Amino acid sequence: MSEDFYEALGVSRDASEEEIQQAYRQKATEYHPDVSDDPDAEEKFKRIKKAKEVLTDDEKRQAYDRMGHDQFEQAEKRGGFEDGPGGPGGPGQGPFGGAAGGGSFGGGGIGDIFEEFFGGGGRGGRRAGKDLRTQMEITLQEAYEGTTKEFTAARPARCNECAGRGHPRDVDVNTCRQCNGRGQVRQVQQTPLGRVQQTATCPECDGDGEVPERECAVCDGSGITREEASLTVDVPAGIEDGQTLRMDGEGAPGDRGAPDGDLLIDVSIQSSERYDRDGSDLHVTEAISFPQAVFGDTIRVDHLDGEVELDIPAGTQSGETFRLSRKGMPRLRGRRNGDLYVQARVVTPDDLNAEQKEALQRFAEAGGEEVDVSEGFFEKLNDLF
Ligand SMILES: [Zn+2]
Ligand SMILES: [Zn+2]
């Protein structure tokens, strides 16, 4: 299980950050649990995500290269080298250069979707950022082609004023008395199995291990404000209604160096008037004329990538269905598109001129029917098909 992070991403040990990001994006699409049918997809996804997190962080990568895989993982499990229990002196400046400046952005607004985050409130002791969730609607055409969507989202962000510390830089910070700076307290709980000692986040300092003299006025000590983020997401061709895209690290900020959460985007696809979708297959109805049904014809059928020709054989019945191979939706993880099913619907004409009526009357009579064009003609015509 302890596959080297470089191997996990399939990059060389001297890969640039860009190469790593690129390899990650590629693998992420492959193993995304919402997309992959590999039973181990989730595990693999977590793994490459972890690999990317470590290898795109200079400090962590250096440590990783120095320590080797197993030692690194152990060190991390112990709460290791990076942000250990924050005693006085504070944690090292974590890798959060990305505290995006606020400001207004263009793009279609998704709106204020993260209220609940603020409701929940809470500064924390180096907790990883929460995953956030939003919705996005796309057209079937966009699902067919794949698309890049820009959107804005109101989301929590690290407070610019205090860089997420929760207090002004120059303010005295005292070691928390309740936990002596450990950020955690021991609790003894009575359980059916006996007394169990547990550690819990210190309620006094919320796990920070320290209490500032004065809190940041902008964020009220939470270290979090909110921003209108302008984001761009790639929507893969073949995505299905109800699937979820994940934007790595675009969720709520983690506490001081802890990883940021992800942004999950639930994608819905507008229903189309023309197409019924069934997985990667599409169904449409095409009107054909009575003569086309009788004599056969080649018709042009609109589909999502232009037009295709379809041969209607002579003697086609209304309701008969024809399959156009590989003209359906792309599959997320396959090479072949699905199929396009075309149901022919013979249209009964209701605007015949005199000559046409006469011809049809002769047609009916030749078949041994008595038809009076003036009375109930169209109902009878309907019965013919
Ligand atoms: Zn405390
Ligand atoms: Zn602040």
Side-chain angles (χ1 to χ4, degrees), residues 159 161-162 166 216 218-219 223:
C159 175
E161 181 69 19
C162 64
C216 169
V218 172
C219 62

Side-chain angles (χ1 to χ4, degrees), residues 122-296:
R123 68 171 89 176
R126 271 148 231 141
R127 284 183 291 250
K130 270 187 168 189
D131 288 346
L132 301 174
R133 216 171 184 110
T134 185
Q135 284 91 40
M136 174 177 286
E137 194 180 54
I138 61 169
T139 63
L140 188 65
Q141 185 76 42
E142 288 172 323
Y144 180 82
E145 291 168 352
T147 182
T148 301
K149 281 281 188 188
E150 283 178 29
F151 62 101
T152 58
R155 66 171 175 184
R158 228 164 247 115
C159 175
N160 272 338
E161 181 69 19
C162 64
R165 282 181 208 92
H167 59 83
R169 189 190 289 272
D170 55 358
V171 133
D172 279 343
V173 177
N174 305 315
T175 303
C176 174
R177 283 193 216 141
Q178 191 163 339
C179 62
N180 285 322
R182 283 195 310 273
Q184 294 193 318
V185 289
R186 290 210 179 90
Q187 286 176 338
V188 177
Q189 273 195 336
Q190 204 60 250
T191 75
L193 298 173
R195 285 156 64 88
V196 175
Q197 201 179 55
Q198 286 184 317
T199 52
T201 303
C202 171
E204 178 66 21
C205 61
D206 267 343
D208 289 349
E210 52 194 29
V211 180
E213 291 283 323
R214 184 158 53 85
E215 293 186 331
C216 169
V218 172
C219 62
D220 285 331
S222 67
I224 303 279
T225 54
R226 55 189 234 174
E227 65 171 2
E228 286 289 317
S230 171
L231 300 168
T232 305
V233 65
D234 287 327
V235 182
I239 190 162
E240 294 195 34
D241 189 57
Q243 287 188 315
T244 301
L245 298 169
R246 178 183 292 263
M247 290 183 79
D248 185 49
E250 297 290 357
D255 289 314
R256 299 186 207 174
D260 294 345
D262 297 337
L263 177 59
L264 304 175
I265 305 168
D266 296 323
V267 176
S268 60
I269 299 175
Q270 284 167 22
S271 61
S272 154
E273 281 185 19
R274 176 169 168 77
Y275 300 94
D276 278 329
R277 182 179 186 180
D278 177 17
S280 58
D281 292 335
L282 292 172
H283 296 260
V284 297
T285 305
E286 280 291 327
I288 59 171
S289 72
F290 176 54
Q292 282 177 316
V294 173
F295 298 118

Side-chain angles (χ1 to χ4, degrees), residues 49-125:
K49 192 174 156 201
K50 175 79 195 166
K52 186 216 73 169
E53 263 163 30
V54 170
L55 297 185
T56 55
D57 180 318
D58 282 346
E59 259 174 64
K60 286 188 186 172
R61 185 173 178 179
Q62 276 169 27
Y64 183 80
D65 289 345
R66 199 172 57 238
M67 300 166 96
H69 185 84
D70 291 340
Q71 261 198 45
F72 178 88
E73 291 227 303
Q74 278 165 25
E76 236 194 2
K77 254 180 218 141
R78 286 197 305 268
F81 44 88
E82 199 195 34
D83 35 67
Q93 186 77 342
F96 49 86
S104 50
F105 299 87
I110 279 196
D112 196 351
I113 45 180
F114 300 133
E115 282 296 344
E116 88 273 24
F117 179 87
F118 295 98
R123 68 171 89 176

